[in-house]
Amino acid sequence: MAAPIIETCHVACCANRTPNVLSWGRGGLIAYGTCNSVALYDPQEKCVVAVLNGHTGRVNTVQWVHREDCVSLILVLSKAYVLCLCPLPQFKQYVECVGHTGPVCAVDAIHLDNNKLLIASTASDSTVKLWLYTGSKAECTHTISFGSGFMMDVSLAWLPGSRVPILACGGDDCRIHLYAQCNGQFRKVLSLQGHEDWIRGVEWACVDGDLLLASCAQDCLIRVWRLVAKSRTKRNAQEERTIRMSEDVFTLTQNAFAVTLESVLAGHENKVYGVHWQPPVIKGGDQHQALSLLSASMDKTMILWAQEEGSGVWVEQVRVGEVGGNTLGFYGCQMSPDGSMILAHAFHGALHLWTQSHEWRPGVVISGHFNAVQDLSWDPEGEFILSVGSDQTTRLLTPWKRMDQTQPTWHEISRPQIHGYDMQCLAMVGRFQYVSGADEKVLRVFRAPRNFVENFANISGTPLAKLLASSDTVDQPEGASTPALGLSNKAVFQGTAPSDLTPKTNEEEGTGFNSVSDRYQESYFHPLTLNEPPPEDHLLQNTLWPEVQKLYGHGFEMFCLASDSGRTVVASACKASKAEHAAVLLWSSTSWRQLQALPCHSLTVTQMAFSPNGLFLLAVSRDRTWSLWKRDDPAPHFSLYTSTRKDTAVHTRIIWSCDWSADNKYFVTSSRDKKVIILHQQGLSVVSRGIIRPCSSILDVGDSATAVSFCPILCPGNSYLLAVGLESGQVLLYKWELSEEPAGASDWTRYGETDSSQSHSLTVKRLRWRPRAGRAGQGDEEEGEGSITAAGSSWVQLASAGADHSVKIFNINRLAV
């Protein structure tokens, strides 16, 4: 079997910011919605094993459906107003349930005979719909209208001792509405009162023939209800005198059922958004339900509840959560099939995992941006990736090789910048320093603290001495912290903490904090020694990089950045609607002073690229033109070498992206007009200005080409490998070879493309090749010498940033032609 050309190495993505967007299947896979896709995550392998694309709207709800024998049968998800049913095991065919006129916010299902499903869904159109799925189609069998009210969650189960479905709906009227099927239709049988605020979650569990219903609400409370089949025999006089809980009784097809309030669980200090029972297991051919209940709240905690032995009173067994940071709490929770792991997803999409060995401890879990990823960059050695996004964060990913695994997995080990503006661009300046730009007029320079360098050495396996030799250790701070209401990361040196963030001592205040709320607001950097990727709360507080410089000069929000290979010059450009604001500014990376302004374009410069030898700077713009600047002696000073005009330009729409070949001979541009063009300047070393002509045929890629990048490793025969990112989210690979008279795109060869499961679901924003051959984290034996001609490995790696909130890393087999 031929080796695949493109393999997905890693997908970094987080959960959508909706309460019911994550579900843990009985087979062990965690399914969650991420932008317009569904990611299937394996917590044992610690990686995304599949991504389900093809949806046109945000995925709001994900739910596994199981048979009575606990086998996962199907995956139900909602996108906008539509339910999609994805049968196992291939998830290739979707069955859509169209009928809601508002976004679907919750869904549940039970397995009927003959592989049929009964599905309940609730949406913001104030209705709950019941669907019958028969394998090839689904039809709506019943619609329950709630007028102007909204149901936040639904749950289906079988009435005790029967095959009659019962539906629980919890909504904004603080009541739980019970509906049961009678003569093929669902009718209301009961309303349960008790909660004093919106009900956020309901879930049934079958225990010893009875049904237990757990409900949670914004009143910070959890209620457990018991539904039993009521006996028709008369009670004797002694039973009549016994104190009994009040019960609500309803009759259905000559059978009576009673509902009583079993317990009220108080322990959370904020709204409770999720409540889930431990999944049942099969023992001896029978289904066994453990009496263990998990809840998640906006107070950043999860609580595991269970009945106390002997008394049967529900008590708090375990409480886990996060302390500190400026984020909101948990939107939902799930428990692994065996009950050994619990998972919460937060308001900002982050996943929080705890595992049980002798005690509950935070576990390593996937992370990612919760908004569009705008830019990314490899470090010069190709050992980690920095990415920035509209979620106002900068994140650092690196491979981590566990002792018991042969292949490394990628993880976020640092969050250098948590900003107050949407991030737009970044440029690496050396190995442990970068410049970032956001929706503000200021550029910010960050340098890695010593604590990061030490932890990176532990996690990546790189010798610490080698890393310290490549970083500036003079007056290197231990870490960084951000003051309250501040945007700048302040350096923290060993043994000190910012005065405005230092908590009171225990002698001054009993707990070291002024109040319970202070515990969640006042925090400062704590140096950590890590041998594995840190959990989310440490990423938020203890992995910041100190800001060492601010650069002022632009008049509008930043848009793109670039740095030269010598790491001496940084180029920046901002949004512009006039020529006076569209100038490219050059900065010295040693003094951080402005060196020069390069005026040429009339609209926003969309991307820039220095040639690998640092002699040329290429800029492309919204005005459909590009400009080429040459470094003059004495350096660094740049003068206009050549440029295109609107009447001579080949591109007819916005030019989105550009890049240089590794041998400095060619550069490429890509545009909204679907064209990709390679250009060559004869005699780049000649001081006199020349005319640059296209040396390739015009490649039409069929869609807006939003990103393009030359592979730094030459292909056999001195041909060039290029990656092109499209507005549709697909990444195309082309091999280009110089031809005497290219005609009909004969000089271009389609090398490969990402399939539907590998592609982004929205626009590709940026493509970057690893600067050396081999796969990061695989060891030096695969990487050769790291030069542009190194052939020590047939593999190269490509990183892509997408508007679908994800960063993807692909392994490309450049020899599998």
Side-chain angles (χ1 to χ4, degrees):
M1 183 176 179
I5 294 177
I6 303 177
E7 293 180 353
T8 302
C9 172
H10 178 69
V11 180
C13 56
C14 70
N16 288 336
R17 301 161 69 184
T18 55
N20 300 302
V21 77
L22 185 144
S23 181
W24 203 323
R26 306 290 162 79
L29 291 182
I30 299 170
Y32 62 91
T34 173
C35 195
N36 297 352
S37 305
V38 175
L40 301 182
Y41 176 74
D42 188 337
Q44 300 295 338
E45 298 296 328
K46 304 188 188 313
C47 64
V48 171
V49 297
V51 177
L52 311 182
N53 287 328
H55 313 293
T56 56
R58 186 186 72 171
V59 176
N60 297 326
T61 307
V62 177
Q63 179 68 45
W64 287 103
V65 181
H66 312 96
R67 297 199 306 245
E68 282 84 348
D69 57 4
C70 299
V71 175
S72 298
L73 182 69
I74 202 170
L75 185 65
V76 182
L77 53 108
S78 68
K79 60 179 184 67
Y81 306 162
V82 181
L83 288 178
C84 292
L85 312 180
C86 313
L88 287 171
Q90 299 298 328
F91 303 105
K92 294 296 184 183
Q93 297 179 345
Y94 292 94
V95 177
E96 292 190 345
C97 307
V98 181
H100 283 292
T101 58
V104 179
C105 57
V107 64
D108 195 23
I110 54 175
H111 180 236
L112 306 177
D113 298 329
N114 301 323
N115 290 325
K116 296 180 180 179
L117 293 180
L118 178 64
I119 303 170
S121 61
T122 180
S124 62
D125 58 5
S126 300
T127 65
V128 172
K129 290 183 179 290
L130 282 303
W131 311 81
L132 181 63
Y133 170 70
T134 58
S136 59
K137 64 177 182 178
E139 60 177 338
C140 180
T141 60
H142 191 75
T143 299
I144 304 171
S145 177
F146 290 89
S148 59
F150 301 99
M151 293 298 107
M152 304 298 175
D153 199 11
V154 292
S155 183
L156 280 167
W158 299 110
L159 278 172
S162 71
R163 296 291 291 178
V164 177
I166 184 167
L167 170 69
C169 308
D172 63 351
D173 59 356
C174 312
R175 298 181 180 183
I176 301 172
H177 303 277
L178 300 184
Y179 289 81
Q181 193 175 42
C182 182
N183 298 325
Q185 294 292 316
F186 277 80
R187 69 177 181 88
K188 187 173 182 179
V189 295
L190 210 58
S191 285
L192 305 179
Q193 302 184 39
H195 285 291
E196 297 178 353
D197 207 333
W198 289 16
I199 296 173
R200 284 293 181 174
V202 291
E203 185 167 287
W204 292 106
C206 183
V207 180
D208 299 330
D210 296 340
L211 282 181
L212 291 182
L213 176 66
S215 62
C216 62
Q218 295 183 175
D219 59 5
C220 310
L221 298 177
I222 301 161
R223 291 175 177 261
V224 180
W225 314 78
R226 183 178 290 271
L227 190 153
V228 300
K230 189 173 178 62
S231 173
R232 291 189 171 274
T233 59
K234 294 184 177 180
R235 296 193 297 267
N236 56 38
Q238 183 177 357
E239 289 177 329
E240 292 287 351
R241 292 192 296 269
T242 303
I243 298 176
R244 301 174 58 87
M245 292 287 293
S246 62
E247 57 184 23
D248 296 306
V249 180
F250 66 91
T251 302
L252 193 70
T253 61
Q254 299 181 351
N255 294 316
F257 300 90
V259 180
T260 59
L261 179 62
E262 177 99 347
S263 184
V264 178
L265 311 181
H268 289 292
E269 298 174 354
N270 207 330
K271 303 171 182 177
V272 185
Y273 268 81
V275 61
H276 290 283
W277 296 98
Q278 179 175 337
V281 295
I282 299 297
K283 291 183 178 180
D286 296 325
Q287 190 178 92
H288 176 73
Q289 173 70 56
L291 281 178
S292 184
L293 183 65
L294 180 67
S295 61
S297 168
M298 275 292 169
D299 64 6
K300 300 185 182 181
T301 65
M302 282 195 298
I303 298 179
L304 201 57
W305 309 85
Q307 283 186 323
E308 193 175 44
E309 292 186 12
S311 67
V313 176
W314 286 87
V315 295
E316 175 185 319
Q317 268 195 335
V318 177
R319 180 190 292 258
V320 297
E322 308 292 353
V323 176
N326 59 355
T327 59
L328 296 177
F330 297 153
Y331 247 165
C333 57
Q334 289 284 304
M335 194 182 305
S336 66
D338 61 358
S340 64
M341 292 185 284
I342 54 178
L343 180 75
H345 60 100
F347 179 79
H348 284 150
L351 303 184
H352 302 254
L353 179 72
W354 282 267
T355 60
Q356 183 185 30
S357 52
H358 299 294
E359 59 182 6
W360 288 93
R361 300 180 61 85
V364 176
V365 72
I366 193 173
S367 64
H369 292 274
F370 59 86
N371 211 330
V373 186
Q374 299 291 348
D375 199 1
L376 56 75
S377 179
W378 291 85
D379 84 287
E381 297 297 322
E383 292 186 1
F384 63 81
I385 293 174
L386 275 173
S387 62
V388 296
S390 299
D391 60 354
Q392 305 181 351
T393 65
T394 303
R395 299 170 188 250
L396 189 148
L397 295 168
T398 194
W400 172 50
K401 192 170 183 178
R402 289 172 282 166
M403 297 295 293
D404 57 339
Q405 298 293 325
T406 58
Q407 297 293 325
T409 53
W410 285 76
H411 299 275
E412 181 182 356
I413 66 166
S414 179
R415 201 163 296 172
Q417 185 181 9
I418 301 175
H419 204 33
Y421 294 96
D422 291 359
M423 305 296 299
Q424 289 294 335
C425 51
L426 87 158
M428 295 293 297
V429 185
R431 189 165 191 192
F432 295 112
Q433 185 172 246
Y434 75 92
V435 185
S436 70
D439 281 344
E440 57 176 344
K441 304 175 184 179
V442 184
L443 290 168
R444 299 174 187 266
V445 185
F446 296 86
R447 185 178 299 156
R450 183 179 180 87
N451 186 249
F452 166 78
V453 178
E454 294 172 349
N455 289 331
F456 177 70
N458 293 337
I459 294 172
S460 66
T462 307
L464 179 60
K466 177 182 176 182
L467 296 177
L468 292 177
S470 62
S471 64
D472 185 5
T473 58
V474 178
D475 296 329
Q476 190 175 27
E478 190 71 19
S481 64
T482 304
L485 304 180
L487 293 177
S488 300
N489 296 350
K490 304 298 183 183
V492 175
F493 293 89
Q494 192 168 8
T496 64
S499 58
D500 59 335
L501 292 178
T502 304
K504 293 179 171 61
T505 64
N506 289 342
E507 289 77 10
E508 295 173 320
E509 194 73 33
T511 62
F513 294 88
N514 295 325
S515 66
V516 173
S517 61
D518 289 343
R519 181 182 298 273
Y520 294 87
Q521 296 173 0
E522 295 198 5
S523 60
Y524 62 95
F525 168 76
H526 297 274
L528 299 171
T529 301
L530 299 173
N531 295 308
E532 64 179 20
E536 180 70 15
D537 61 331
H538 289 308
L539 286 171
L540 288 170
Q541 300 178 78
N542 301 319
T543 64
L544 294 171
W545 290 16
E547 181 182 310
V548 297
Q549 195 72 40
K550 292 185 181 71
L551 308 180
Y552 299 92
H554 287 286
F556 289 93
E557 296 90 342
M558 302 308 307
F559 198 83
C560 63
L561 281 165
S563 62
D564 67 341
S565 57
R567 314 300 172 186
T568 59
V569 179
V570 174
S572 62
C574 69
K575 295 179 181 178
S577 57
K578 298 180 180 179
E580 60 187 286
H581 300 125
V584 174
L585 300 187
L586 299 183
W587 310 84
S588 167
S589 62
T590 54
S591 64
W592 293 118
R593 292 184 178 179
Q594 183 177 326
L595 299 174
Q596 196 178 355
L598 308 180
C600 180
H601 296 282
S602 58
L603 295 175
T604 303
V605 173
T606 54
Q607 200 169 106
M608 299 174 292
F610 283 93
S611 60
N613 59 13
L615 293 180
F616 289 88
L617 171 63
L618 175 66
V620 295
S621 171
R622 286 181 179 270
D623 62 12
R624 310 174 188 178
T625 67
W626 54 260
S627 60
L628 187 62
W629 304 80
K630 187 176 185 300
R631 187 191 293 256
D632 299 325
D633 293 326
H637 182 275
F638 284 77
S639 60
L640 184 63
Y641 190 68
T642 188
S643 64
T644 56
R645 302 185 304 273
K646 290 184 179 180
D647 56 340
T648 61
V650 178
H651 290 295
T652 58
R653 302 292 299 275
I654 293 172
I655 305 177
W656 281 124
S657 186
C658 62
D659 197 20
W660 284 88
S661 64
D663 55 7
N664 304 289
K665 293 180 180 179
Y666 307 98
F667 63 86
V668 62
T669 59
S670 67
S671 169
R672 181 179 283 175
D673 61 9
K674 309 177 185 179
K675 298 175 184 176
V676 176
I677 303 171
I678 292 179
L679 302 105
H680 179 214
Q681 203 283 321
Q682 296 291 336
L684 287 179
S685 60
V686 179
V687 177
S688 61
R689 299 185 182 184
I691 299 174
I692 297 182
R693 300 177 299 274
C695 61
S696 75
S697 59
I698 297 176
L699 176 65
D700 189 334
V701 294
D703 193 10
S704 175
T706 55
V708 68
S709 184
F710 264 111
C711 178
I713 315 299
L714 297 179
C715 287
N718 289 329
S719 56
Y720 298 86
L721 178 62
L722 292 94
V724 181
L726 306 182
E727 192 171 32
S728 64
Q730 193 175 29
V731 177
L732 309 178
L733 295 181
Y734 284 92
K735 186 173 70 172
W736 177 78
E737 200 166 0
L738 183 63
S739 176
E740 291 292 335
E741 293 183 1
S746 60
D747 51 338
W748 294 94
T749 303
R750 185 74 163 261
Y751 184 65
E753 61 188 40
T754 55
D755 59 32
S756 60
S757 64
Q758 294 174 316
S759 302
H760 293 276
S761 61
L762 293 176
T763 304
V764 178
K765 303 294 286 188
R766 187 69 155 165
L767 291 173
R768 293 272 193 152
W769 293 91
R770 186 170 186 249
R772 57 190 300 175
R775 292 172 287 186
Q778 298 283 16
D780 293 335
E781 68 277 0
E782 187 186 86
E783 297 179 5
E785 296 298 324
S787 67
I788 63 172
T789 59
S793 172
S794 64
W795 296 99
V796 288
Q797 285 188 310
L798 174 67
S800 67
D804 60 353
H805 312 176
S806 68
V807 172
K808 299 191 176 188
I809 303 171
F810 301 105
N811 295 331
I812 312 295
N813 189 345
R814 64 190 178 95
L815 301 182
V817 180

